[in-house]
Amino acid sequence: MLDKTLNPAAFEARLYEGWESAGAFAADPTSNARPYAIMIPPPNVTGSLHIGHALDITIQDTLIRFRRMQGRDVLWQPGTDHAGIATQMVVERLLAAQGIDRRDMGREAFVDRVWEWKAESGGTITRQLRRMGASLDWSRERFTMDEGLSDAVREVFVTLHRQGLLYRAQRLVNWDPKFQTAISDLEVESKEVKGSLWHLRYPVEGEPGRFLIVATTRPETMLGDTAVAVNPSDERFRDLIGKNLVLPIVGRRIPVVADEYSDPEKGSGAVKITPAHDFNDFEVGRRHKLPAPSVLDAEGRVTLEEIEGEARAYPGVSEPDVLSSLHGLDRFDARKAVLAELERLELIEKIEPHTHAVPHGDRSGVPIEPRLTWQWYVDAATLAKPAIAAVEQGRTQFVPKQWENTFFAWMRDIQPWCVSRQLWWGHQIPAWYGPDGQIFVERTEGEAEAAARAHYGKDLPLTRDPDVLDTWFSSGLWPFSTLGWPQKTPELSRYYPGDVLVTGFDIIFFWVARMMMLGIHFMGDVPFKVVHIHGLVRDERGQKMSKSKGNVMDPLELADAYGADALRFTIASLAGPGRDIKLGRQKVESTRAFTTKLWNAARFCEMNGIAPDPTFDPSAVRTPLARWLLDAGNAAIAEATAALESYRLDDYAGALYRFTWGSFCDWFLELAKPVLSGPDGAEKSETKGVAQHVLGLILRLGHPVMPYVTEELWARFGYGPEGSLIRTPWPEPAVVPDAEAARAELGWLTGFIAEVRAVRAEVNVPPSVTVPILLQGASPETMARAARWIEPIRRMARATEVTALDGPAPAGVAQAVVGEATAMLPLAGVVDLAAERTRLAKEHAKAEAEARKHAQKLANPDFIARAKEEAVEETRERLSTAEAEASRLAAAIARIAA
């Protein structure tokens, strides 16, 4: 007998261990079945499951389990990413707690220590994925620094270099002064900072007393200025174009250049150009062939090594010892010192408060610096063209389609991709340098030595490039490196390209685009046919989750509290394509009621002697109730299948919920109770047969999103051995005789009872009170139906009788239209209808006022422009809720006869 109370903790771990040990998740490259493959976005090996992972996993596992039940040969490829900077940071912190600095250890010992950490602690997130029910083929688990994946990385690097698509160059990068490495745009987050805008006077050479005012938020970088730019259309500065200024403090002569980059409406209209320390300035410098001296070192300290000063007697030029005193100062200390010197030289025109976005390293938390360094780059523009064409031609489709525009916008304006990082943990770049700086890019050190021998005519010592590759470089190979490439494996030919990639919009460029570029270039085909883009998980008010707001939700804690199935179903029910999810604890709690409802329905069936019957034939049913339920089951199968095939998990969850809770529990079981409790006979046998058949159908329909409770009930009820539901075929529609007639008959009955219940609820008729129902304008067929179903109408609609009304309606009735008839409940003496009408009118007026308030707010352009996106969306939802409530109350008022 099923336990009285659903307790997911009693079976979740047992079922998962059973699936995994039985090989239920395993792909079979020798199978004749059609393959279906999803490559998991590899979580960081340092990671811990967060709510975004829970969304990702729910979508992928639901699709995977659905296709597995359809008989496909499913591969859900698991693995983790070595996460260069994140992992190095974790291990450095552990060492620092022991008083150890990695630089004292040396590179080899440090990397060995990282591998030790990975072996001890790096599997946390994979254990947590199991907790969520993720049916990944763990026998194929990969790590981006496995030897096989490392082979793929070296092969791609060497091949791209030989094809001229990967090269070394000096360009600006995002530089993290704390970690002393280049970082990707994805690892940069902008923070609003309250600062100042300093308006500085730059003396015009040869025109004593004349200055060009330059506005800046970074006075410390002025030491590296090589020009000042003005807009060519700006009349204020036209006569200065081509003249020179004297750079304050330094004394270097710098030109005034005309460039559209300078906006006459911003600041002073004149922009200082520091090519080595600003991305926009770098491009201006390239256009005007300006020098680019660096004035900040790797740690963000002032360096004067590339500065050429002209310490001569000129207004605004400091003495040599003043300039030299800046050397070695931290950038923020240098800012104070530069400003103090400018103040002394009377070269500060004015200072304005200024709030602006400052890029910070997302892990270090310090402001990043644009820095001019030698790095390795991939010619992304060349690789992007075939990827753009693939999406244009529909070989890879985005769901929702509008994300293609984001993909195109990024790809058509793509810049060279910096793939080198100044770290120790990662794939070390396979490049060696000769004594004269000659570069040898080879797969192995031996091949590099051979190439150097051929070049120099003798053996000479080589030095390997100390940098490692950007994590996105190796993860960009994920769809084919995990399948054994560069070897030609059976898995590679069978599971590439994959069917769908599930990911968030925030990494379309950083990961999706790079997989597209590298997959097409090396495999000759797209890496996946569909890119399913989901939104963010926000809190119930629509705010982004963050630790600082205290609104972060732990999916593991929710799974422990309510069961993994309840969390998964909640996420699925909210997961419309591309739409952000508003998730609150209350929603998960309410979904637990759904899993509990399913459990209780199964227990009710068990208590009524309902058991699996392999001889049951749906096409032989005769009673309208049984035929109606089977027909509704067919509709649920069609709706759920179509929803999953179009990545509409919300529609799938909705179809499952409506059929399970509505059709099966609320209607069929309630209507069947008298039969099930009555004497044995053909009707009872048929009712039991259809009940066990449809319960099994529900368990199969629900398994992809609620794997645990459905698998437990499947075995406990006797539909199959424990752990067998996962590979049980997806349900097919049954042949239902006279389905249309049954649909019309039960559709009328359920609609009639539902309308009567709604009327009673709206005017507050106590459940204990029974009243007659009068039908005005009813056809003979309707009256016959009422007679046939009088017992459930009495029981479920709390009615004494149903009679025809030929004359006018009596006073004091509440009414509802059901088909061609009007159902009237005589409530005079039972309910004060006048008072109810007054109450409903007040509530209606309140709802309309609420709707007007939100509508006026949304009609205000200032609100739309200035309010946060989540506030605007919340107002729209409140308007929709208020309008719906006003409509409901208007209908309720109309039901009470005057």
Side-chain angles (χ1 to χ4, degrees), residues 5-24:
T5 304
L6 170 64
N7 179 19
F11 52 80
E12 287 184 344
R14 167 174 51 81
L15 288 176
Y16 196 93
E17 289 169 9
W19 285 325
E20 189 173 354
S21 61

Side-chain angles (χ1 to χ4, degrees), residues 601 604-605 610 616 621 623-630 632 658-676 683-695 698 746 749-750 789 792 795-796:
F604 172 84
C605 289
I610 296 167
F616 176 75
V621 297
T623 60
L625 179 61
R627 287 185 285 123
W628 169 79
L629 184 63
L630 291 172
R658 289 190 298 275
F659 180 61
T660 303
W661 195 306
S663 301
F664 186 66
C665 297
D666 280 358
W667 291 114
F668 172 76
L669 292 181
E670 286 299 319
L671 291 168
K673 279 180 179 178
V675 176
L676 293 173
E683 185 178 6
K684 185 173 184 178
S685 176
E686 181 173 286
T687 301
K688 284 186 173 183
V690 78
Q692 63 81 29
H693 175 83
V694 171
L695 178 59
I698 288 170
L746 270 295
L749 175 64
T750 57
W789 296 100
R795 181 165 49 90
M796 298 174 71

Side-chain angles (χ1 to χ4, degrees), residues 117-186:
W117 175 87
K118 193 263 180 187
E120 294 165 3
S121 310
T124 298
I125 197 161
T126 58
R127 291 190 293 274
Q128 294 172 337
L129 292 175
R130 287 173 165 89
R131 174 71 184 85
M132 284 293 294
S135 59
L136 291 140
D137 187 349
W138 294 108
S139 67
R140 299 177 182 275
E141 184 177 358
R142 305 305 299 268
F143 177 54
T144 49
M145 283 184 63
D146 285 350
E147 188 51 43
L149 273 65
S150 296
D151 286 345
V153 167
R154 288 189 289 269
E155 182 69 26
V156 167
F157 190 96
V158 171
T159 302
L160 289 175
H161 183 263
R162 290 178 180 173
Q163 293 172 340
L165 296 172
L166 189 149
Y167 55 90
R168 194 166 180 261
Q170 190 180 38
R171 295 175 60 92
L172 276 191
V173 294
N174 294 312
W175 185 265
D176 190 314
K178 181 175 180 178
F179 294 130
Q180 297 180 46
T181 180
I183 60 175
S184 72
D185 289 343
L186 187 65

Side-chain angles (χ1 to χ4, degrees), residues 513 643 711:
E711 186 75 83

Side-chain angles (χ1 to χ4, degrees), residues 852-861 863-864 871 875 878:
R852 281 195 303 273
K853 180 181 75 173
H854 296 310
Q856 288 167 0
K857 203 171 184 180
L858 290 169
N860 183 347
F863 172 71
I864 299 296
T875 303
R878 287 182 174 180

